[in-house]
Structure formats: C-alpha cells, structure tokens
Amino acid sequence: MPKLSVIVPFYNVQQYAPETLRSLRLNARSDFEFILVDDKSKDETPAILERAAESLSDVARVRYIRHETNGGLATARNTGLDAATGEYLTFLDGDDWLAPGYFAELVAAIEGMGCDFVRTDHVQATARARSVHRAPVGLRGAVLNPRDAILPADRTTSVDYAYAWAGVYHRRLLDKGLLHFTDGLRTAEDRPWIWKLHREAESFAVVSLLGVFYRRGVASSLTQIGDARQLDFIRAFDQVIEETAADRDADKLLPKAVRTYCAIIAHHLSDEAKWEPAVAKELRTRSAAAIKRMPQDMLGEVLDTMDLRRSAKLRRLRRRISTAKAAA
C-alpha cells in the first residue's frame, strides 16, 4: 500500500499544468502515488499529462486517467478516490502548485497526530502577489472533535474553510464513505463535503504548515465565469441544509448552515454584474426559492443578526416571495 495517494484533476490548464507537475516531482517519494485525472480537456493538457505520467514514474507511482466526457471537479476527484490505494489521501488542483517537500511534512503531521484528518494553512497566489490564509482554528497541533469546530454560527469556522486540498485524510474516512463528493457539482463541491466530514469524522487537527499555493484569477476558473454552472452552489447548500437538518444536533448546527447559505446567496447577488443576463435572472429566482425552503423562524433570526447590506438583499427576495403568494 502506498503511504500517500495524491488526486490531481486537470481541465484545460495547459498554461499551468507544467508548474503543477514540476511541484509534484519535487514532492515525490517511491511510496507516494500520484493519480492524474484529465476531465476531457480540449487543449494540450492531455498530451502534457501523458508525458508527465511517464517521466514521473521513475520517482513515484503514477496513474493517468482520462475521462471520456467532462464531469466537473467533483466527479474527477471521485474518479481519483476510486483509484486511490494509499493509506492517506490528499488533493491538488491542476492549476495550483506545492512547495518542495510539503507532502513529506503533511504525512509526518497526520502520522504524529494519529487523527482522522489534518487541516493546513495555504498561500493564495494572485498574479505575483502572495498572501497567507489560515485555517480558522486557533488551537494548533492538538487533536480535536470536528463537530465542535462547526460552531459558533456567527463566526467563520472550520466548515467555512472548505478547501479539500488544504489537508490530508486517513483512508478509514474513504472506507466510511466520507471522502467522496456529490457527483456532478460544478461549483461549491467542497461545501457538502466539508460539512459531512465535520459531522461524521471522529477526530482532526490543524497544523501550521504552508505548502499549497492556490492560484486565483485564472480566466478559465468558474469563479471568473458568470454562467449557469455557478448556480450549482444552490444544489450544494440545499444538500448541506437537508443533511444537517437530519443530524442529531440539528437544533445547534442548522443555524450555522442557514447563515452560511444566506451569506453565499447575498454574495452572489451583490456580484450580479459578472453574470450573463439570463443567468442573473435565474440566480434571483432560484435564490428566492431557496430562501422559501429554509426554516422560516431560523431564517428570521439569521437575517436579524446579519449586517444591513446583506440582510436587505435577502429581505427583498423574501418579500418578493410573500408578494407573489398574495397575488396568487
């Protein structure tokens, strides 16, 4: 069994893939497994990966898998999880890169802690600018209960730091069905995933380890494109609400899920200029329907405690629902 499986999906990243692959080489060990998944790229990414799979095989175990149809990041990660054989698992996106030796430190951290998963900080890279982003857990290097890290509802917590690649995960989580993503989600795929992980895993830790460089501002990234695929955040958060409502601690955890959902809706509504006109209309319609589906008493409490700018946007949507009902 390999010590670590690294799952790396790629889609139309010919400009960035060489740097990603070079950083994998600088992290390779004979007991590491690199699973390169091409999600039906239309550019030169597949040719780059074919060459890399051959050249990397002298320093690590490598498997190259190519999708026949494009399924999105969640589906590509699931393909990698199905193929992974390592004792520990981690992720990297095909346009990001790593500091040399990072994976060895990551494995040493989780082996030393003996917990289900470990979360790390990361470096955000926008053009030439670099900024450190910390996992929002103050206590470092101690084994904690993941459920306790979901709250408080009115602060940024561990479930808001949803980056799957910012950490490493024991194989027992995969065996329990906790590491797969909701198939077909095109955006916000990390959100139901991180919530399930924190509700159902037994232990985790956060370590002050920097090694992942997360590239922002990539033109092909869905965060830069205002098309209908971004609306998958509604499907993702509907899943968070539904699963959290069924949890044994729903009365404690659900306000956090509702508040986060509301904050994300308000964020997208405030960024309407980037959306295609038809998609912007669909965003408003589907967001209004999402607000209607939320527990209304809990929603009212959340809106009362949010800042005025965001709560005003959401209240307008809520009034639109009430007006439409009255007219009907």
Side-chain angles (χ1 to χ4, degrees):
M1 176 184 288
K3 179 62 68 174
L4 177 70
S5 292
V6 184
I7 297 159
V8 195
F10 295 82
Y11 178 65
N12 289 352
V13 287
Q14 63 179 19
Q15 180 180 355
Y16 307 111
E19 184 171 13
T20 303
L21 294 161
R22 280 194 296 272
S23 75
L24 286 177
R25 174 172 283 276
L26 293 173
N27 276 269
R29 271 184 7 192
S30 61
D31 59 345
F32 287 178
E33 173 184 63
F34 297 152
I35 303 172
L36 315 178
V37 182
D38 178 67
D39 194 26
K40 191 61 174 178
S41 294
K42 300 175 182 177
D43 61 3
E44 293 301 310
T45 300
I48 294 170
L49 294 180
E50 287 177 8
R51 293 193 296 269
E54 183 175 350
S55 65
L56 282 171
S57 63
D58 63 343
V59 291
R61 309 181 194 196
V62 181
R63 183 168 182 187
Y64 170 47
I65 304 170
R66 190 175 188 204
H67 282 174
E68 292 300 318
T69 58
N70 176 263
L73 180 58
T75 301
R77 284 177 175 168
N78 287 344
T79 295
L81 287 168
D82 291 340
T85 61
E87 180 181 357
Y88 301 103
L89 303 98
T90 191
F91 304 92
L92 182 68
D93 286 352
D95 52 3
D96 298 335
W97 76 97
L98 306 163
Y102 168 69
F103 282 153
E105 294 183 72
L106 194 62
V107 168
I110 192 168
E111 288 191 317
M113 304 301 296
C115 52
D116 284 343
F117 65 99
V118 164
R119 303 288 280 157
T120 69
D121 306 322
H122 72 275
V123 179
Q124 191 171 108
T126 306
R128 293 190 175 185
R130 303 287 184 268
S131 57
V132 173
H133 287 248
R134 305 286 185 188
V137 176
L139 186 58
R140 300 296 173 104
V143 177
L144 306 171
N145 184 339
R147 294 177 72 87
D148 294 342
I150 296 174
L151 300 175
D154 60 349
R155 294 175 59 184
T156 299
T157 69
S158 193
V159 289
D160 301 309
Y161 190 75
Y163 312 107
W165 36 256
V168 61
Y169 314 91
H170 197 286
R171 185 173 190 85
R172 58 179 168 261
L173 296 176
L174 181 64
D175 296 338
K176 291 178 180 178
L178 300 184
L179 290 187
H180 278 79
F181 296 80
T182 302
D183 197 53
L185 279 180
R186 300 283 178 160
T187 191
E189 68 286 329
D190 290 346
R191 296 293 186 150
W193 179 88
I194 196 73
W195 271 84
K196 177 185 281 188
L197 201 59
H198 277 73
R199 287 193 312 264
E200 300 188 29
E202 295 180 2
S203 60
F204 89 118
V206 180
V207 296
S208 298
L209 177 60
L210 286 172
V212 179
F213 289 78
Y214 170 42
R215 197 186 301 273
R216 295 297 305 272
V218 177
S220 60
S221 170
L222 279 184
T223 59
Q224 305 296 312
I225 300 172
D227 68 17
R229 291 173 292 178
Q230 279 217 49
L231 297 181
D232 273 8
F233 84 88
I234 293 173
R235 179 182 163 203
F237 275 97
D238 278 352
Q239 181 180 343
V240 171
I241 295 291
E242 180 182 356
E243 293 177 349
T244 305
D247 189 88
R248 65 181 184 270
D249 292 324
D251 58 329
K252 296 178 181 178
L253 302 182
L254 199 53
K256 171 66 175 177
V258 170
R259 187 181 185 87
T260 306
Y261 199 174
C262 286
I264 296 295
I265 290 174
H267 166 75
H268 283 300
L269 290 172
S270 67
D271 201 20
E272 278 193 86
K274 79 173 182 182
W275 300 90
E276 300 166 2
V279 179
K281 182 179 179 180
E282 187 178 357
L283 168 67
R284 291 189 294 272
T285 300
R286 292 181 61 183
S287 295
I291 288 172
K292 181 181 178 181
R293 289 191 297 271
M294 294 180 196
Q296 293 302 297
D297 290 346
M298 198 171 291
L299 173 64
E301 294 174 6
V302 166
L303 295 179
D304 287 343
T305 57
M306 291 184 77
D307 64 87
L308 290 177
R309 181 182 60 82
R310 291 188 298 176
S311 65
K313 289 181 179 294
L314 297 169
R315 289 183 193 280
R316 282 195 293 271
L317 276 184
R318 200 181 188 192
R319 284 196 297 271
R320 182 182 300 177
I321 296 168
S322 299
T323 302
K325 279 184 178 180

